[in-house]
């Protein structure tokens, strides 16, 4: 074998490659399938995260469902309203303005507030800790603090605070609900962005027990219910709940009335 | 007579799937129902026959005269990839349901080792042009035979009471093994 075979090799493969690619490009013209051009446009407008929050396998499947009329643009909880209205325009639909939902962590039991129950040396996930004795923190209802929600978030919108409590970035959060599914204690919920008043506790134990495990537990004293005349808060099964139908967007209750400070204003009023 | 011998040898005695264990991916993946299995077999047969034809031409008319035999794998892969693209476009154009049914396994014919294996065996056995084509067609027919038999068995298995640990992939592998044993019986045929 001499050096010229290198050149022969290059030329041969080049020519072969060219011939085949030319053949294929002709074939792709001849055999092209007329796909609905709207599908590609819609795929571009969808977020492309393939998170599956709409219930379809991915953004491409969602786009096909949109074009065939099986889905509505509002089924995608992730895309911003600007892109959704563009999609609706392509499909010739009236867009219904839907309020953005964000995840809210309904617990304040970080390592400062929540008592420590035991040393936990098992698998470092909330799910595992929840299954074997509930992890190191004392409250059986609150945050375990191993960040399953953070790992579940496809948008990097949840971070762990210094004291071990997940914090939602309300601007980045798209409301896809992955963290809600991931949390074994169900302390993360999706709420419309206009809601700002929350009872940040899920503990339904009796007041004494609740208070003994966490400084910021709801002790179902009922002061919130009395202060609002029953129109805004209700204590049900040892836990205060906000009645968002009656509660207006403006907070009427001074949150400092709550003795354990578990009624909190989350986010800034007026954010969208 | 010689051609018939080559055909039977490639299709039955040295069946690619059940004797050489090449191309198991589509064999397991598309053998749930008989319909798609037949289509997959036909698509593979087409690609195999075309591959045998084109690679024979390329090998004997281009690579051998230029003393570039060492390029055989590269150029064969090029041929196979292009042919599979062609088949994919064709299937998509002709039948969208079939395209959906074959799914990922259609482009995966590209990486189906049975097809590259076919091209390399053909060179190794020094067939002439006609023999090469028959060899490719026989291999495809053998693949079709194997995948259709497998699909038939699996549709029957749907109704069978398979023990819990063997469900799914387990029973499929056991079935494939039994089939391969059965095909060993053809070894004395030629």
């Amino acid at each position: 074998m001499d050096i010229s075979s290198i050149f022969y090799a290059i030329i041969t493969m080049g020519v072969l490659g060219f011939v085949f690619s030319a053949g294929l490009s002709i074939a792709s013209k001849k055999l092209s399938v007329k796909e609905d051009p709207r599908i590609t446009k819609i795929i571009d407008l969808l977020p492309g995260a393939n998170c599956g929050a709409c219930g379809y396998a991915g953004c491409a499947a969602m786009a096909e469902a949109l074009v065939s009329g099986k889905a509505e643009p509002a089924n995608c909880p992730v895309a911003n309203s600007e892109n959704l209205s563009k999609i609706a325009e392509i499909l010739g639909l009236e867009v219904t303005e839907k309020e953005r939902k964000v995840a809210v962590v309904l617990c304040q039991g970080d390592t400062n507030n929540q008592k420590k129950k035991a040393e936990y040396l098992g698998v470092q996930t909330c799910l595992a800790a929840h299954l074997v004795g509930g992890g190191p923190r004392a409250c059986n209802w609150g945050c375990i603090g191993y960040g399953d929600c953070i790992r579940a978030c496809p948008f990097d919108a949840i971070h762990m605070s210094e004291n071990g409590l997940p914090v939602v970035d309300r601007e980045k959060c798209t409301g896809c609900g992955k963290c809600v599914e991931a949390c074994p204690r169900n302390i993360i919920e999706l709420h419309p962005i206009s809601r700002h008043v929350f009872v940040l506790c899920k503990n339904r134990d009796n007041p004494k027990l609740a208070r003994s495990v966490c400084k910021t537990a709801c002790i179902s004293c009922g002061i919130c219910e009395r202060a609002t005349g029953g129109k805004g808060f209700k204590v049900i099964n040892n836990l205060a709940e906000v009645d968002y139908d009656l509660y207006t967007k403006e907070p009427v209750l001074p949150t400092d009335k709550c003795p354990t400070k578990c009624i909190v204003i989350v986010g800034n009023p007026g954010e969208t | 007579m010689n051609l018939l011998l080559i055909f039977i040898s490639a299709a039955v005695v040295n069946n690619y799937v059940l004797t050489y264990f090449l191309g198991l991916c589509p064999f397991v993946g598309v053998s749930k129902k008989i319909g798609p299995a037949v289509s997959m077999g036909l698509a593979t047969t087409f690609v195999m026959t075309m591959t045998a034809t084109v690679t024979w031409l390329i090998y004997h008319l281009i690579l051998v005269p230029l003393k570039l035999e060492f390029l055989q794998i590269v150029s064969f892969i090029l041929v196979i990839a292009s042919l599979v693209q062609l088949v994919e476009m064709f299937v998509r154009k002709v039948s969208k349901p079939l395209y959906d049914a074959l799914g990922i396994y259609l482009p995966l014919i590209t990486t189906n080792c049975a097809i590259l294996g076919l091209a390399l065996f053909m060179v190794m056995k020094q067939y002439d042009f006609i023999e090469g084509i028959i060899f490719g067609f026989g291999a495809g027919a053998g693949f079709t035979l194997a995948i259709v038999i497998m699909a038939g068995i699996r549709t029957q298995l749907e109704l069978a009471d398979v023990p819990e640990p063997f469900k799914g992939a387990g029973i499929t592998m056991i079935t494939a093994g039994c089939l391969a044993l059965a095909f060993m019986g053809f070894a004395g045929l030629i």
Side-chain angles (χ1 to χ4, degrees):
Chain A
M1 189 190 291
D2 56 315
I3 194 83
S4 65
S5 65
I6 295 178
F7 297 108
Y8 283 134
I10 294 172
I11 293 166
T12 313
M13 289 314 292
V15 170
L16 278 180
F18 183 77
V19 169
F20 281 119
S21 57
L24 276 184
S25 58
I26 292 169
S28 78
K29 278 271 185 311
K30 287 249 162 113
L31 294 173
S32 67
V33 177
K34 277 219 176 107
E35 203 179 39
D36 201 325
R38 294 179 298 176
I39 291 180
T40 1
K41 276 189 198 165
I42 292 174
I43 289 175
D44 289 341
L45 287 169
L46 287 170
N50 292 322
C51 65
C54 52
Y56 291 92
C59 291
M62 173 70 171
E64 266 180 44
L66 280 169
V67 170
S68 58
K70 284 181 206 147
E72 285 175 30
N75 289 16
C76 178
V78 178
N80 59 30
S81 53
E82 191 189 330
N83 281 0
L84 286 183
S85 53
K86 273 188 201 160
I87 291 172
E89 209 174 287
I90 293 171
L91 295 170
L93 294 171
E94 285 285 315
V95 70
T96 43
E97 191 67 43
K98 202 184 66 164
E99 197 176 9
R100 196 159 79 86
K101 282 187 172 181
V102 290
V104 181
V105 181
L106 296 175
C107 179
Q108 294 188 93
D110 58 19
T111 48
N112 281 345
N113 295 333
Q114 213 183 131
K115 290 228 171 64
K116 197 171 170 180
K117 173 170 66 181
E119 204 67 54
Y120 174 78
L121 297 173
V123 180
Q124 303 281 307
T125 67
C126 304
L127 186 59
H130 177 64
L131 289 172
V132 288
R137 297 185 190 173
C139 179
N140 285 328
W141 304 81
C143 179
I144 301 168
Y146 287 121
D148 281 12
C149 48
I150 294 165
R151 283 186 291 275
C153 182
F155 302 99
D156 192 32
I158 306 190
H159 296 282
M160 194 59 89
S161 75
E162 266 176 39
N163 296 321
L165 193 70
V167 180
V168 177
D169 184 333
R170 284 169 76 87
E171 286 202 350
K172 277 191 192 168
C173 180
T174 59
C176 71
K178 291 260 173 185
C179 51
V180 177
E181 281 170 33
C183 179
R185 290 271 166 89
N186 297 324
I187 58 168
I188 305 181
E189 288 179 2
L190 290 180
H191 284 279
I193 187 106
S194 61
R195 288 182 185 172
H196 295 292
V197 177
F198 292 96
V199 178
L200 293 190
C201 185
K202 282 279 186 179
N203 193 318
R204 290 186 189 274
D205 286 333
N206 69 53
K208 202 178 162 198
L209 189 57
R211 188 73 180 86
S212 73
V213 293
C214 182
K215 280 185 210 165
T216 51
C218 173
I219 53 172
S220 51
C221 62
I223 196 166
C224 45
E225 191 176 338
R226 287 193 296 280
T228 52
K231 291 181 181 170
F233 290 94
K234 273 210 161 58
V235 177
I236 303 164
N237 288 341
N238 292 331
L239 185 63
E241 283 174 12
V242 189
D243 188 340
Y244 289 104
D245 288 337
L246 295 171
Y247 203 87
T248 49
K249 286 183 180 176
E250 293 301 312
V252 289
L253 174 89
T255 49
D256 55 1
K257 281 220 170 145
C258 177
T260 56
K261 306 271 181 294
C262 69
I263 296 174
V264 171
I265 293 179
V266 175
N268 306 311
E271 69 188 343
T272 50
Chain B
M1 192 61 207
N2 186 29
L3 293 181
L4 187 68
L5 208 61
I6 289 173
F7 180 82
I8 290 181
S9 156
V12 182
V13 182
N14 292 323
N15 188 292
Y16 270 72
V17 180
L18 296 171
T19 311
Y20 289 143
F21 296 105
L22 294 171
L24 285 179
C25 171
F27 176 67
V28 174
V30 199
S31 58
K32 283 209 181 78
K33 283 186 194 141
I34 291 188
V38 172
S39 319
M40 187 69 191
L42 292 180
T44 312
T45 307
F46 175 77
V47 175
M48 278 180 157
T49 316
M50 289 302 290
T51 305
T53 315
V54 179
T55 52
W56 193 94
L57 290 174
I58 286 181
Y59 186 78
H60 288 278
L61 298 185
I62 300 176
L63 298 187
V64 172
L66 293 173
K67 295 195 175 62
L68 292 171
E69 287 93 341
F70 58 90
L71 280 180
Q72 56 176 344
I73 292 183
V74 187
S75 51
F76 290 177
I77 287 285
L78 190 71
V79 172
I80 295 166
S82 315
L83 283 172
V84 172
Q85 287 276 312
L86 195 68
V87 173
E88 195 183 342
M89 285 178 213
F90 184 73
V91 172
R92 195 168 173 202
K93 172 86 173 174
V94 174
S95 165
K96 185 82 165 68
L98 179 58
Y99 180 77
D100 288 337
L102 293 179
I104 186 69
Y105 296 103
L106 188 56
L108 274 184
I109 300 179
T110 316
T111 53
N112 189 334
C113 45
I115 293 169
L116 182 62
L118 164 94
L120 294 175
F121 277 134
M122 189 183 67
V123 169
M124 206 161 66
K125 293 184 177 173
Q126 297 177 332
Y127 286 139
D128 67 23
F129 186 55
I130 302 295
E131 285 172 340
I133 295 175
I134 295 294
F135 181 63
F137 182 65
F143 181 85
T144 313
L145 179 70
I147 198 171
V148 170
I149 291 177
M150 186 67 178
I153 295 175
R154 280 180 79 176
T155 38
Q156 296 295 313
L157 272 178
E158 295 271 301
L159 306 170
D161 185 19
V162 180
E164 195 70 31
F166 293 137
K167 273 187 181 158
I171 193 71
T172 311
M173 288 299 166
I174 292 170
T175 315
C178 293
L179 259 183
L181 277 176
F183 266 71
M184 277 174 73
F186 289 116
L189 197 65
I190 295 181

